[in-house]
Amino acid sequence: MIDNMFVIDATVHPYNLAEDNLNQAPGGGPDLHAFALREMLWGMHERFATEGSAIAREAFCTDWSPELLARTMFTESDVDLAVNHRLRIDSVFQDGLCNGTKNQVLADKWPQRVIPYAGLNPMLGIDACLRDLRQQVADVPGTIGIKVYPNSGSPDASWRLDDPEFDPLFELAKELGIKIFAVHKIIPNGLVPLAPFGIDDLETVAIRHIDLSFEIVHAGLPPFVEEVAMALMRLPNVYANLEITSAILAHGMGYVEDALAQLISLGGAEKIIYASGAMHFHPQPVLEKMARLTFSDQLLERYGIEQITHEQRAGFLAGNFARIAGIDLAAAEQAVRDDEFARERAAHGGNRPMWSHWRATQPELWNAAPGAAA
């Protein structure tokens, strides 16, 4: 908890950015698109990590374990629950960016802490998607959401959510108890066109499937701020997931603060869902910024809104997600009150230092790391 508010981080994922997970070019070496996407992810960390929270490239470009994610989230930050996304960027990463085994380990070992989302690659076709979803839900009990990308990391092919071919996917999802689709939008995956990352196809399926909720992942970043704001205003089942957005906000980019005010002005504070994108960034400084966010008088006047209240912040940090996910916050708080992470934090007297578990378990990745968090 932070400032007496329960915290659900709605998007986390232990990446696999190791060299051997990058698809290989025919002549040897990493495939161009795999290399470009990894460099983009690293560049975002290098550019937007808050002061003192940057990690070494030697650590970043490795395979991050489920244990590392859990220890970072629940002993080094005030996050209480986290939503782990399986990431099916299959055309550039041999085992995806975050594979199904990690999702299963996290959900099996720490069900009181981790909410799993399945990951699908619709580029494989509808029949493969339906088989895959059934299997993932069977393998990972507690799966309540699905993460999808507009493409799988390739510039040569993309898909649209509103393609009639995929109508059976939404129906099967409802049949299996899935409540939420989290759709990566706005930020292109490296050397790919921007157009598939617009939101018009998401709007169409949200209207068709009003009994499902849809998260626009990376909401609040350019160039689709106005479109997202209008979607939040018009569509009752569409929400702004602030993964990466919140990290850039914590870094101090005024554009994002302005965009967030616009989203609240048109869509309402109840449509904002906090997510850090950990471990792309350390969760604690990102959370602290969001938990204590206030708008300038200039922004309040520009968008005709009142200052953010404690109740609205509590909604950003947990209440809004809990409402669409069907989570009883009182029960969730009780479940983590005395678990292994709570006891470790109590014994330490609070949060452990940022990245301390990683540094302790893999010191060789940090020793020659200029500028990394101490």
Side-chain angles (χ1 to χ4, degrees), residues 200-317:
D200 58 312
D201 58 336
L202 182 148
E203 291 182 309
T204 301
V205 295
I207 294 166
R208 288 178 184 166
H209 300 282
I210 205 73
D211 48 349
L212 289 169
S213 294
F214 293 84
E215 299 175 30
I216 302 175
V217 179
H218 311 305
L221 294 179
F224 299 112
V225 173
E226 290 80 6
E227 291 87 342
V228 171
M230 288 295 292
L232 299 183
M233 180 178 72
R234 291 159 37 240
L235 305 174
N237 55 336
V238 172
Y239 297 83
N241 176 307
L242 300 186
E243 182 199 353
I244 303 298
T245 311
S246 59
I248 297 175
L249 177 69
H251 181 75
M253 183 176 283
Y255 177 95
V256 176
E257 188 169 336
D258 188 290
L260 185 54
Q262 185 178 160
L263 298 185
I264 292 171
S265 174
L266 291 178
E270 69 277 8
K271 289 297 195 76
I272 306 299
I273 292 175
Y274 170 72
S276 73
M279 296 181 332
H280 199 152
F281 301 92
H282 196 283
Q284 185 61 19
V286 180
L287 173 58
E288 288 176 0
K289 174 65 176 180
M290 196 69 192
R292 291 148 193 172
L293 177 66
T294 58
F295 291 135
S296 68
D297 291 342
Q298 181 183 14
L299 281 182
L300 297 177
E301 182 178 353
R302 178 183 300 166
Y303 292 108
I305 57 177
E306 300 293 326
Q307 189 59 264
I308 301 170
T309 67
H310 181 82
E311 290 71 22
Q312 288 172 331
R313 292 190 189 93
F316 301 158
L317 297 184

Side-chain angles (χ1 to χ4, degrees), residues 32-191:
L32 172 64
H33 300 292
F35 178 80
L37 179 51
R38 185 177 69 175
E39 291 306 298
M40 185 186 98
L41 295 171
W42 162 245
M44 292 174 72
H45 175 84
E46 188 177 38
R47 171 69 176 84
F48 296 117
T50 58
E51 185 176 355
S53 72
I55 65 175
R57 180 185 174 87
E58 290 83 353
F60 192 86
C61 295
T62 60
D63 184 6
W64 310 346
S65 73
E67 177 86 15
L68 174 59
L69 176 77
R71 295 289 163 193
T72 302
M73 298 304 303
F74 306 127
T75 70
E76 299 176 17
S77 88
D78 294 315
V79 172
D80 298 293
L81 270 63
V83 184
N84 189 69
H85 289 197
R86 181 178 179 184
L87 306 179
R88 296 290 300 277
I89 309 182
D90 295 351
S91 69
V92 294
F93 296 112
Q94 296 186 31
D95 196 26
L97 187 53
C98 177
N99 69 21
T101 299
K102 293 179 179 181
N103 211 19
Q104 189 165 2
V105 168
L106 287 162
D108 286 349
K109 290 189 71 173
W110 302 291
Q112 80 283 11
R113 292 279 187 171
V114 178
I115 301 161
Y117 275 21
L120 298 178
N121 179 7
M123 298 306 303
L124 300 176
I126 184 59
D127 291 338
C129 276
L130 298 180
R131 289 194 301 271
D132 196 4
L133 180 57
R134 288 190 182 95
Q135 189 63 54
Q136 289 187 58
V137 171
D139 290 343
V140 188
T143 298
I144 64 165
I146 296 172
K147 175 67 170 285
V148 291
Y149 288 84
N151 60 25
S152 57
S154 166
D156 304 316
S158 60
W159 71 291
R160 290 181 59 89
L161 282 88
D162 58 359
D163 185 332
E165 176 190 358
F166 293 101
D167 284 346
L169 174 59
F170 297 99
E171 297 304 329
L172 177 62
K174 288 182 272 190
E175 178 185 323
L176 294 176
I178 298 295
K179 297 177 171 64
I180 303 164
F181 273 75
V183 187
H184 177 113
K185 289 291 189 180
I186 302 167
I187 301 178
N189 290 322
L191 294 176

